[in-house]
Each structure stands twice: as structure tokens, then as C-alpha cells.
Amino acid sequence: MEHIVNKFFAAMAQRNLDDILALIADEIDWYIPGNEAIAPWLGHRSTKAAIADFYRMLWKNTEAVEGHIDHSFTQENVNLTAGRFTTRMLQTGKLYESIFFTSMTIENDLIVKYRLLEEGYGLVKALQP
């Protein structure tokens, strides 16, 4: 199962949408909480097509600066990962730095549930002029 998590993060780092989507189940329970009015890529998604839209919107609005995985733990079919990243918001040019935590549930080598927690206040500040 950890190989799926590693492939997922590697594909994200390379912004390789095809490789990401190959790891996502057709129906998924996906949630990234936050202010969707300011960052419309946040929120709930439930299909592979919606995940593709998420990444297209995210990548259209952001530039990855750096990211690090600090810890990754797997128990049964659930992986928890903690790390930190820096992203440039393209509409403002501001840097957004945050810690993050993901929870992924994997069944039949596909991600069926995904949660991302990040520092939301910093995101709102980075997106405001």
C-alpha cells in the first residue's frame, strides 16, 4: 500500500495528472476543507473527473515552490502523512507556507478516500491582494 502513496506524492510533485488519476478510484470520498469562495479548488469531490478538475484548477492558480514529507504511517489500508510545503499563489504572487496532513484509504490499489488538512488562514491571506 505504501507504494501507492509514494506514487501519488511523486505524481503530484511532477504535476502528472495521468499518473495521479491512475491511482484514484472511479468513485472517491475526497474532501479538503477551507474557504471555497476564495479557493474554489477546495471542498468535496466524488468522481475521478472531479479530481481531474480539482488538479487543473489548482495548478492553474498555483506554482509549487517546495514540499517535504516528514512522516508517513500505514495501518491496515489507511495511510497518514505529515509534511510541509510552500506554494506561490499566481493571482497575488504571495507565498503560502503550510504544514499538511493527509489521510488516504486504499482498496484494490486505488485511493477511495482522501482528506487533506492544511493551514487555512494562511491560504486566505495569500489569496487576498
Side-chain angles (χ1 to χ4, degrees):
M1 185 172 95
E2 288 184 24
H3 68 286
I4 300 298
V5 174
N6 293 337
K7 285 182 182 181
F8 177 79
F9 282 114
M12 279 186 47
Q14 298 166 0
R15 290 191 170 199
N16 185 324
L17 185 57
D18 290 336
D19 285 356
I20 291 170
L21 294 179
L23 300 170
I24 303 290
D26 289 336
E27 293 184 14
I28 185 168
D29 177 4
W30 176 286
Y31 182 51
I32 305 173
N35 188 329
E36 296 174 47
I38 292 174
W41 54 85
L42 300 176
H44 292 274
R45 305 278 188 288
S46 60
T47 65
K48 189 181 281 198
I51 302 308
D53 290 341
F54 160 82
Y55 280 107
R56 287 185 194 107
M57 190 181 329
L58 177 69
W59 294 341
K60 180 180 172 185
N61 288 281
T62 65
E63 173 189 356
V65 175
E66 68 177 325
H68 303 279
I69 293 175
D70 298 322
H71 304 284
S72 183
F73 305 95
T74 300
Q75 183 177 13
E76 297 181 13
N77 67 330
V78 176
N79 173 272
L80 302 175
T81 298
R84 52 198 154 80
F85 64 84
T86 303
T87 301
R88 182 177 321 282
M89 297 296 132
L90 296 178
Q91 75 183 56
T92 64
K94 294 180 182 178
L95 291 180
Y96 166 48
E97 297 180 31
S98 180
I99 60 171
F100 75 87
F101 299 91
T102 62
S103 174
M104 288 184 247
T105 302
I106 298 170
E107 295 176 0
N108 300 317
D109 288 336
L110 294 172
I111 300 166
V112 297
K113 182 177 180 181
Y114 180 85
R115 297 290 184 272
L116 169 66
L117 299 177
E118 58 189 356
E119 198 275 299
Y121 180 67
L123 177 61
V124 169
K125 284 183 63 175
L127 287 169
Q128 292 178 337

